């Protein structure tokens, strides 16, 4: 039997995502009520610019006092889509203290303070859900947290930023340079006026921290994630990738060590074989590849950003949280029982593609090979091209420690026959 008294929802933020949340709550109100078991009512909307016209939203619901809204006491669920650390963190903790559960899309806050927020939610017996924080409309957090709860996840490998994937896909498909591809992404609205958070990997790193924490039942903070942007990727790198049967993607990679005793989380550009499912992810789409003991390999694919896709994930969480409110229960909280150490990047083992500018004369290859051998890095393939006394030497290694590769590169730079290191890129997905 459906309850007639509505569950009240406070919306913090009414931008691209927030306005879509409000729209869906209104247009799908009857369906949402049937799925939840009670009507849901938008009880207030906190914004910074109250004079802006917001179609479909009663002006009487608009307020600039977000703190007063979450303190009302009659609010069942607070939906936070304002982003950033403050005032979002204070508003969420205040909401818990005044009896509301929280649905958030705030990846930066959750990556930095997720453990503390989970603890406060548990203290007050409330829910904290955040499906929309990682990959827009793609169901990912709930499958990792619930569907795979009985399995052992070993690796999460994904494209979790649509802006960077659009840029790299454009470079790959048209031969464009980085700046040209970025300009097109900006003109089409895929890139912000300041794209730093995307192209330098900050956005993906926050998502990697969240995914690693859930997948490995371990607290992983943003500071634990190695981050490398993709602004140095060139058309020449794509040409080299194509010669290897690969393409280049900015990847978020979360791995359990082979002995199971530690985990790593990292974000960086990498070459991946064209045969890997992630290689075919085009445009601004996202995809995440999960490897686990029992279920094997799974891939989650779809739009990773945008108002409607992200709002879809928010509404999914809202339905789940509202159902919990009606039953007097809460959903899964933080699972950090494993408490595995997070290894630094130097302890990561992977393959490498290194392009060197060298003198075109006898003995160069032998010198380079000797340096690799002295640092314990095994060479898989070598390709050399020379003209007019100058040459390029492309070396692809077997799997090696990142720290060993770093020492190798430093030693190579000291060779008189090595003019410079043109590029270094990891090779993943094999």
């Amino acid at each position: 039997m459906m309850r007639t008294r509505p569950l009240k929802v406070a919306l913090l933020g009414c931008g691209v995502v927030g306005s879509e949340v409000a729209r869906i709550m209104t247009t799908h109100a009857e369906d949402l009520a049937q799925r939840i078991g009670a009507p849901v009512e938008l009880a207030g909307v906190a914004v910074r610019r109250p004079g802006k016209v917001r179609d479909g939203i009663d002006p009487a619901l608009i307020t600039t006092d977000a703190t007063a809204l979450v303190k009302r006491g009659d609010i069942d669920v607070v939906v936070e889509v304002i982003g950033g650390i403050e005032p979002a963190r204070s508003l969420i903790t205040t909401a818990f203290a005044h009896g509301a559960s929280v649905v958030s899309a705030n990846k930066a806050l959750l990556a930095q303070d997720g453990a503390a927020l989970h603890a406060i939610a548990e203290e007050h017996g409330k829910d904290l859900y955040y499906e929309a924080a990682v990959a827009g409309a793609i169901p990912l957090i709930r499958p990792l947290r619930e569907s795979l709860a009985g399995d052992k996840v070993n690796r999460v490998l994904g494209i979790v930023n649509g802006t960077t994937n659009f840029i790299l896909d454009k470079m790959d498909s048209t031969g464009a340079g980085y700046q040209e591809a970025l300009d097109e992404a900006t003109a089409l609205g895929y890139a912000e006026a300041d794209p730093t958070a995307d192209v330098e990997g900050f956005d993906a790193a926050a998502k990697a921290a969240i995914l690693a924490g859930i997948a490995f039942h371990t607290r992983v903070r943003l500071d634990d994630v190695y981050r490398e942007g993709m602004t140095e990727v060139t058309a020449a790198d794509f040409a080299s990738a194509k010669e290897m049967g690969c393409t280049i993607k900015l990847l978020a990679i979360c791995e359990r060590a082979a002995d199971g005793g530690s985990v790593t989380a990292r974000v960086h550009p990498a070459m991946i074989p064209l045969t890997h499912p992630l290689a075919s992810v085009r445009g601004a789409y996202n995809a995440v590849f999960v490897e686990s003991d029992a279920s094997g390999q799974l891939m989650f694919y779809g739009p990773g950003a945008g108002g409607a896709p992200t709002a879809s994930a928010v509404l999914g969480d809202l339905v789940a949280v509202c159902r919990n409110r009606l039953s007097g229960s809460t959903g899964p909280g933080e699972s950090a029982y494993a408490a595995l150490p997070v290894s630094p990047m130097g302890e990561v083992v992977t393959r490498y593609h290194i392009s060197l500018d060298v003198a075109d004369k006898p003995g160069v290859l032998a010198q380079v090979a000797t340096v690799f051998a002295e640092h314990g890095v095994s060479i898989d393939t070598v390709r050399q091209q020379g003209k007019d006394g100058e040459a390029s030497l492309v070396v692809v290694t077997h799997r090696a420690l990142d720290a060993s590769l770093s020492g190798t590169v430093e030693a190579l730079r000291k060779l008189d026959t090595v003019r410079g290191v043109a590029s270094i890129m990891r090779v993943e997905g094999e």
Side-chain angles (χ1 to χ4, degrees), residues 46-84:
V47 299
R48 287 182 296 176
R49 296 184 295 275
K52 182 179 177 180
V53 176
R54 295 173 172 86
D55 294 337
I57 299 178
D58 183 351
L61 298 177
I62 301 296
T63 178
T64 57
D65 194 343
T67 301
L69 178 60
V70 300
K71 281 183 173 181
R72 275 178 35 174
D74 63 336
I75 299 296
D76 294 288
V77 184
V78 169
V79 174
E80 183 270 310
V81 290
I82 57 178

Side-chain angles (χ1 to χ4, degrees), residues 124-142:
H124 293 285
K126 298 297 178 286
D127 275 322
L128 173 62
Y129 276 49
Y130 42 90
E131 183 68 67
V134 172
I138 304 173
L140 185 59
I141 289 178
R142 193 171 288 116

Side-chain angles (χ1 to χ4, degrees), residues 401-415:
L401 277 173
D402 186 87
S404 298
L405 194 283
S406 297
T408 303
V409 172
E410 287 305 308
L412 288 171
R413 294 183 193 276
K414 295 177 182 178
L415 293 178

